Amino acid sequence: MVKAVVGANWGDEGKGKITDMLAKESDIIIRFQGGANAGHTIVNNYGKFALHTLPSGVFYSHTTNIIGNGVALNIPILIEEIRSVTGRGVPAPRILVSDRAQIVMPYHILLDQYEEERLGGRSFGSTKSGIAPFYSDKYAKIGFQVSELFDEQLLRKKVADVCEIKNVLFAHLYRKPLIDAAELLTVLHEYRDMIAPYVCDVSAYLDKAVREGKNILLEGQLGTLKDPDHGIYPMVTSSSTLAAYGAIGAGIAPYEIRQVITVCKAYSSAVGAGAFVSEIFGEQADELRRRGGDGGEFGATTGRPRRMGWFDCVASRYGCRLQGTTDVAFTVLDVLGYLDEIPVCVGYEIDGEVTTEFPVTTRLEHARPVLQSLPGWKTDIRGIRNYEELPENCRRYVEFIEAQIGYPITMVSNGPGREDIIYRTSTLA
Ligand code: GDP
């Protein structure tokens, strides 16, 4: 049985917590896209961790954790992350890396930095992890697959060819020091030795696992609105954030993905630039940011303050639809317990007309939120385990949002820990 955990919105919905929780019943957890540019925050009995590359199953010794072919693999970051978890008492996790995964090269990171510098104020707010240059090269067919590290002749030739291309940009567009092919080759030899113990034909491994009936969890990064096709292009990430891409980025049959758990946060947050219709500002935003998540809404990778907003039904319904949602995990509901009234964005007004369909980016830039306020519950709901024990206004909030988005909320998260979860039966027909 294959399940996917993905985000409905801009990322930071709490996927790490939900994945960590579901990993308990999983045999295999797979990262299938993205790179070390975003992070999941996980709180468990070993402490609080920000994972960037490792799948969230690494805290359970019964799991196999896989970096799929779709990931932008930063080898030194992966190795460092393995060290950082084992250094804090977590037993050495079982990790496999696809022989078809491609490698984030040192020049990808430089290119990302140089391009942001060149763009100045027009930049995309990249995390400068080399992700966009990495995926550009992958599709330009000048990327390096893990397997290629082990073919010395091919590696030497490719390094020479790539340096020639990159050095034109370095010299003439960015006016920066050139890359030295011999030095790069030495770095790649180091990468080869670091990654060698983990390399695996992942899709063959997963084919066998599926046939044996293993429980497999696909772990998404970011959310629908950051998808390069269906998101708020160009303020998107460079690989697909959709559950459907799990089949490609892991190398399994699409029809094997039986459950798509889409994570939605009880309010909105976003990082980086781009339209964010239900955004709030000033003291109202500061207070939600301060109280949000587990210790405030600040980027897990960058520490940047997140942009804050009310729950957006338009974006979330669209986000759930594109994921092919079977279940919604509704997270961080406990944080809203301080509000007298909770505004929710139920429509977008665009050029004088109200719509509930999420528009293309050009129209999105003109959208204003149509808000509806629901009564708050003004109590701390942490520790509650049964849905019926939640305050009535809190249940009304959940049910209102479920009706608006049209996908069943089967899990409600009311705290950052593994055990802070309430299962419920959806009231949707
Ligand atoms: P991800 O990238 O989707 O995993 O999201 P983040 O790592 O940004 O997670 C959101 C933050 O919220 C993390 O600090 C989590 O520990 C925290 N979190 C997750 N679920 C809950 C919840 O139900 N309540 C509270 N208060 N915090 C939560």
Side-chain angles (χ1 to χ4, degrees):
M1 160 87 165
V2 184
K3 294 180 189 178
V5 176
V6 287
N9 302 107
W10 300 264
D12 307 319
E13 297 94 347
K15 293 177 296 296
K17 178 238 160 100
I18 300 295
T19 312
D20 176 62
M21 205 184 81
L22 294 173
K24 196 172 173 208
E25 277 89 49
S26 305
D27 303 299
I28 299 168
I29 296 95
I30 313 167
R31 281 282 314 268
F32 61 89
Q33 45 87 223
N37 53 331
H40 286 320
T41 314
I42 296 174
V43 183
N44 57 32
N45 39 346
Y46 296 105
K48 183 171 177 174
F49 296 86
L51 296 185
H52 306 289
T53 293
L54 283 177
S56 299
V58 290
F59 301 103
Y60 296 100
S61 46
H62 69 273
T63 63
T64 298
N65 293 275
I66 297 185
I67 310 283
N69 56 278
V71 169
L73 173 67
N74 184 317
I75 293 175
I77 288 190
L78 172 70
I79 301 300
E80 186 43 45
E81 220 170 279
I82 296 172
R83 272 203 208 111
S84 77
V85 296
T86 53
R88 287 173 62 192
V90 179
R94 182 167 153 75
I95 292 166
L96 300 175
V97 175
S98 168
D99 52 5
R100 292 176 182 274
Q102 294 200 12
I103 303 159
V104 176
M105 305 291 269
Y107 55 77
H108 288 140
I109 296 164
L110 291 173
L111 282 167
D112 219 349
Q113 289 165 2
Y114 296 164
E115 182 59 11
E116 286 279 303
E117 256 175 63
R118 191 183 71 85
L119 288 170
R122 295 169 292 140
S123 79
F124 290 82
S126 159
T127 58
K128 304 188 189 69
S129 320
I131 304 300
F134 165 90
Y135 281 107
S136 307
D137 280 0
K138 176 172 177 177
Y139 293 107
K141 299 180 282 283
I142 53 170
F144 287 74
Q145 284 193 338
V146 164
S147 58
E148 292 174 339
L149 292 174
F150 300 89
D151 183 334
E152 187 60 22
Q153 218 180 353
L154 174 144
L155 198 62
R156 276 173 190 272
K157 169 145 189 1
K158 246 181 119 161
V159 163
D161 291 347
V162 165
C163 284
E164 205 178 320
I165 302 173
K166 298 299 172 196
N167 279 339
V168 173
L169 288 177
F170 279 47
H172 300 291
L173 183 64
Y174 300 116
R175 300 182 199 287
K176 296 283 184 185
L178 302 189
I179 319 171
D180 181 78
E183 265 175 43
L184 180 59
L185 197 61
T186 308
V187 171
L188 294 182
H189 289 156
E190 288 166 16
Y191 284 7
R192 177 194 62 203
D193 297 342
M194 287 185 219
I195 206 70
Y198 307 106
V199 181
C200 170
D201 179 346
V202 161
S203 88
Y205 179 89
L206 291 176
D207 182 57
K208 185 161 171 282
V210 168
R211 286 168 201 275
E212 288 169 356
K214 293 274 197 287
N215 284 326
I216 300 173
L217 196 59
L218 295 165
E219 175 176 15
Q221 183 207 40
L222 296 168
T224 305
L225 304 178
K226 293 283 186 180
D227 184 75
D229 284 82
H230 296 283
I232 52 170
Y233 187 87
M235 300 301 179
V236 292
T237 193
S238 305
S239 64
S240 177
T241 56
L242 302 183
Y245 192 74
I248 298 161
I252 54 173
Y255 52 76
E256 295 295 351
I257 306 172
R258 302 291 161 79
Q259 196 180 6
V260 177
I261 299 157
T262 304
V263 184
C264 281
K265 191 154 63 178
Y267 53 89
S268 301
S269 72
V271 285
F276 179 12
V277 177
S278 67
E279 186 166 11
I280 53 174
F281 303 92
E283 180 45 38
Q284 202 180 31
D286 289 344
E287 177 151 35
L288 185 55
R289 183 179 304 110
R290 216 168 34 241
R291 291 171 176 269
D294 179 34
E297 289 281 0
F298 299 91
T301 303
T302 57
R304 287 189 284 192
R306 292 177 181 153
R307 297 164 69 193
M308 306 303 296
W310 301 125
F311 188 84
D312 184 334
C313 299
V314 179
S316 303
R317 181 152 45 89
Y318 174 81
C320 287
R321 173 162 69 79
L322 268 300
Q323 293 290 7
T325 303
T326 60
D327 295 77
V328 173
F330 195 56
T331 59
V332 206
L333 186 60
D334 49 305
V335 160
L336 298 182
Y338 73 98
L339 291 159
D340 293 316
E341 289 216 319
I342 312 173
V344 173
C345 174
V346 293
Y348 290 176
E349 191 192 310
I350 303 174
D351 302 331
E353 271 179 46
V354 173
T355 180
T356 54
E357 293 297 330
F358 191 78
V360 291
T361 312
T362 49
R363 297 190 64 227
L364 185 65
E365 303 290 345
H366 306 179
R368 293 155 155 276
V370 177
L371 297 174
Q372 183 171 336
S373 274
L374 301 185
W377 46 92
K378 302 288 286 180
T379 47
D380 184 2
I381 60 164
R382 282 210 195 178
I384 293 178
R385 295 288 170 267
N386 295 316
Y387 185 69
E388 296 312 318
E389 287 166 27
L390 286 173
E392 189 185 347
N393 283 347
C394 184
R395 280 182 277 131
R396 277 174 63 187
Y397 186 77
V398 173
E399 285 155 31
F400 178 84
I401 281 171
E402 182 181 67
Q404 288 281 322
I405 61 179
Y407 291 91
I409 297 178
T410 58
M411 284 168 246
V412 174
S413 170
N414 60 338
R418 275 176 186 171
E419 62 297 337
D420 297 319
I421 195 81
I422 300 170
Y423 292 95
R424 75 183 276 272
T425 308
S426 164
T427 44
L428 283 185

